[in-house]
Amino acid sequence: MMISGAGREFIIKDTHRGLYYEDGKLTKVIEAGRYKIPRRHRWLRRRPTVECMLVDVRERELTIKGQEILTADKVAIRVSILVQFRVTDPKAAIHTVDNFEDRLYSDVQLAARRSLASMTLEEILTNRNRLSEDILSDVTESANGYGVAIRRADVKDLIFPGNLQEIMNRVLAAERHSQAQLVEARTRAEVEQIEAQSRAETTRRDAEAEAQARRLREQAEAEATRAKAVAETQAYEERVKAAEALEGHPALLRLAELETLRELAKNANARLYLNGSLKEEV
């Protein structure tokens, strides 16, 4: 947009820059602000004719549509590319080339053709980032020469011939089916592994519990044996003491015999043998 007219005021927004011309010669690049074009005559003195061209410096998009390109393996495809760019040098953008957008369109178009023509169909499908990288490396320097910086260049649409599209759909469906089978197999293997680990853990815990129970049983049996031995020892000691007491006091032995006879007399079926003859207790 060119602004002219003596005495005219204009405002440049922060989204634009102004190329300031005096008698058709660029004298400066002006920033955002309010400006006024001076009058051409003052005190009989002619002033230069002033014009100002506004240049948009915002980031913009440019779409290169429907480029039919033959790949390295001789497959014709149609591709659309989306380019994001912005003007970084308004002076170079206006003065270096006739139309910087048309020039950028041509540069990206040729760079995309060179890149895609060197790639096979499989490479294009599996590595679309390569196209962006190729375009950026091919065009960035030349675009900087006319004041434009390219932010990114991506494949927007990729169209194949009809029969090839059908084949590709089948291939993609087969790949999805294969991936689903692979996921199912992995899931089944993971489930089996988890179940095996669970069984092994259960077996280990059962073995530990059985070993613990066996240790407790052995400890209980050992304790019972020890207690029995202690009790038997105490009984033997009591018997020894009783024998020693009876041996030292015969009357106690006679009392013990009489006590025994008294207990036997309580049993009607008891028989008592004295000097080889049977005496029945009544």
Side-chain angles (χ1 to χ4, degrees), residues 34-48:
R34 180 187 294 272
Y35 299 91
K36 183 177 181 179
I37 298 177
R39 298 186 180 278
R40 296 180 59 183
H41 298 279
R42 185 178 182 185
W43 301 105
L44 303 179
R45 182 179 177 182
R46 182 181 179 278
R47 287 186 172 184

Side-chain angles (χ1 to χ4, degrees), residues 25-260:
K25 182 179 180 181
L26 179 65
T27 58
K28 56 185 175 181
V29 178
I30 56 179
E31 302 290 328
R34 180 187 294 272
Y35 299 91
K36 183 177 181 179
I37 298 177
R39 298 186 180 278
R40 296 180 59 183
H41 298 279
R42 185 178 182 185
W43 301 105
L44 303 179
R45 182 179 177 182
R46 182 181 179 278
R47 287 186 172 184
T49 299
V50 174
E51 296 175 312
C52 183
M53 176 178 287
L54 299 184
V55 180
D56 194 336
V57 294
R58 290 174 293 183
E59 186 174 292
R60 284 177 280 174
E61 293 183 352
L62 179 66
T63 301
I64 291 85
K65 297 182 179 180
Q67 303 299 305
E68 185 169 330
I69 302 172
L70 197 65
T71 65
D73 48 357
K74 309 306 180 184
V75 177
I77 62 173
R78 296 180 67 84
V79 61
S80 295
I81 302 167
L82 180 66
V83 181
Q84 294 178 344
F85 72 97
R86 64 185 298 267
V87 174
T88 55
D89 186 346
K91 177 182 176 181
I94 300 301
H95 286 239
T96 304
V97 293
D98 177 53
N99 186 308
F100 66 87
E101 289 193 14
D102 290 345
R103 177 64 179 272
L104 180 62
Y105 187 100
S106 299
D107 287 347
V108 173
Q109 181 186 48
L110 294 175
R113 287 182 175 276
R114 285 191 293 268
S115 177
L116 292 174
S118 66
M119 300 168 65
T120 64
L121 180 61
E122 183 178 359
E123 290 173 336
I124 295 172
L125 293 173
T126 57
N127 188 13
R128 293 192 181 187
N129 289 335
R130 176 182 165 184
L131 175 60
S132 178
E133 293 168 357
D134 288 350
I135 292 175
L136 290 176
S137 62
D138 194 351
V139 180
T140 296
E141 185 176 354
S142 61
N144 286 337
Y146 49 87
V148 174
I150 301 176
R151 181 173 176 270
R152 60 187 300 173
D154 294 326
V155 175
K156 185 177 180 181
D157 295 309
L158 197 60
I159 303 174
F160 304 100
N163 59 340
L164 183 60
Q165 184 71 47
E166 183 179 353
I167 294 172
M168 291 304 301
N169 289 337
R170 293 178 182 176
V171 171
L172 292 175
E175 288 180 352
R176 286 193 293 268
H177 181 66
S178 176
Q179 290 175 353
Q181 289 181 328
L182 180 60
V183 170
E184 182 180 356
R186 287 178 177 173
T187 303
R188 185 166 55 251
E190 290 175 356
V191 170
E192 292 176 353
Q193 182 180 5
I194 292 173
E195 290 177 348
Q197 291 175 348
S198 178
R199 289 194 296 269
E201 181 66 17
T202 302
T203 302
R204 184 186 66 80
R205 291 181 178 177
D206 291 344
E208 289 180 352
E210 184 178 354
Q212 181 67 14
R214 186 169 56 253
R215 286 194 296 269
L216 293 175
R217 287 196 302 269
E218 292 174 352
Q219 291 175 358
E221 292 174 356
E223 183 64 23
T225 302
R226 187 186 66 79
K228 182 178 180 182
V230 171
E232 290 178 350
T233 301
Q234 292 176 349
Y236 289 145
E237 290 177 352
E238 293 295 331
R239 291 176 183 177
V240 169
K241 291 179 180 179
E244 291 176 351
L246 293 175
E247 184 179 0
H249 303 279
L252 292 176
L253 178 59
R254 183 58 182 167
L255 288 174
E257 290 176 353
L258 291 174
E259 184 67 27
T260 302

